[in-house]
Amino acid sequence: MTDGRVAYGLNYSVDPPAVVSGEGTPQDTSARLVRDPDSPAPDRLRSLRAFHLRAEDGSPVARVVTEQPLGSRLSGRPAVYHVLDPYGAPLGRITLRRRRAFRWGRRRWTVEPVGGPVLQGYQGRLWSWLLWWPFGLPVQLLCLIWVLMAEGDDGPRPPRRITWRDGSHRAHLVFRAVAEDYRLLRHELDPRLVNALIGLHQSYDWPERAGSDGWYEW
């Protein structure tokens, strides 16, 4: 394992969008995100996903398929995705669990590699949520009213930073919401699984430059 940190991001200026790595420009393309032409129609909760990761030359790198779509907030059933290699062998599983209705909690992303530690990441840090509810949420509601009345820009967003940690609480990957990038701190996770996680996460939580529907709904 090396100690160097690697920065990843999603380049929306190319078609199909590309997961890129490296600091500054130019950046190296890790994978292109290509939605399956026969992917399932979006479900009511918009949680069905089916896409390929391809190298710059078009060769397959990995594939993401939905094992289980999200349930309602009352049921608390998570969305489960399989990440497969080009031959169909499993690389790992990624799970998204939302906060259940009428309960305290944060959105949680879990990564279960075939080999290696299980990683869990919670959206937003506790102190940022403590500030968000009394201060950020009222401001966002005011901005929403302004958007509806005057077609202004979007207002502040809830806390979005995520740090994926193993059972020993060691950080492996960090999504920095302000920079809109992902910092790989440890190199125990298969890069294909990292790219798949970025593609999935960005299909739920995308920056403004990705448009109103994100890369997956383009």
Side-chain angles (χ1 to χ4, degrees):
M1 182 186 70
T2 60
D3 294 327
R5 301 184 177 190
V6 180
Y8 289 88
L10 194 55
N11 182 1
Y12 288 94
S13 65
V14 296
D15 186 22
V19 179
V20 295
S21 63
E23 301 281 2
T25 55
Q27 295 176 306
D28 296 326
T29 297
S30 292
R32 292 292 188 107
L33 302 177
V34 184
R35 181 172 174 173
D36 287 6
D38 58 346
S39 59
D43 59 317
R44 181 175 60 85
L45 298 173
R46 301 172 66 89
S47 63
L48 294 175
R49 300 287 187 271
F51 61 92
H52 279 79
L53 289 81
R54 296 189 177 276
E56 192 74 331
D57 61 4
S59 59
V61 175
R63 186 183 182 211
V64 175
V65 295
T66 302
E67 174 190 340
Q68 173 179 282
L70 272 172
S72 68
R73 287 194 179 274
L74 289 176
S75 71
R77 187 184 68 198
V80 181
Y81 304 97
H82 278 301
V83 183
L84 311 172
D85 74 6
Y87 304 100
L91 298 174
R93 188 168 68 168
I94 298 174
T95 302
L96 168 61
R97 187 181 297 275
R98 299 186 301 173
R99 176 182 62 84
R100 296 187 66 172
F102 312 115
R103 294 189 181 183
W104 162 255
R106 292 176 289 168
R107 178 176 288 191
R108 183 178 69 197
W109 288 89
T110 303
V111 183
E112 301 173 83
V114 170
V118 175
L119 308 180
Q120 293 195 20
Y122 293 86
Q123 180 175 325
R125 289 170 285 191
L126 288 175
W127 66 263
S128 59
W129 281 110
L130 291 175
L131 292 175
W132 165 257
W133 288 113
F135 303 109
L137 181 59
V139 172
Q140 186 186 48
L141 293 176
L142 290 175
C143 290
L144 178 60
I145 295 174
W146 172 253
V147 168
L148 295 175
M149 295 179 62
E151 298 183 355
D153 296 330
D154 292 338
R157 302 176 68 176
R160 300 168 58 223
R161 182 185 178 97
I162 302 176
T163 301
W164 281 270
R165 300 180 185 275
D166 61 23
S168 300
H169 209 63
R170 297 179 303 171
H172 286 246
L173 180 68
V174 179
F175 168 62
R176 305 190 307 168
V178 175
E180 290 290 348
D181 69 4
Y182 300 78
R183 296 280 170 158
L184 186 64
L185 309 181
R186 307 179 67 87
H187 294 256
E188 299 173 7
L189 200 60
D190 190 317
R192 296 171 293 181
L193 205 52
V194 174
N195 292 334
L197 175 61
I198 292 173
L200 271 175
H201 179 249
Q202 287 283 311
S203 73
Y204 280 93
D205 185 4
W206 56 85
E208 292 182 5
R209 66 178 181 275
S212 60
D213 296 321
W215 80 264
Y216 189 77
E217 298 296 335
W218 278 6

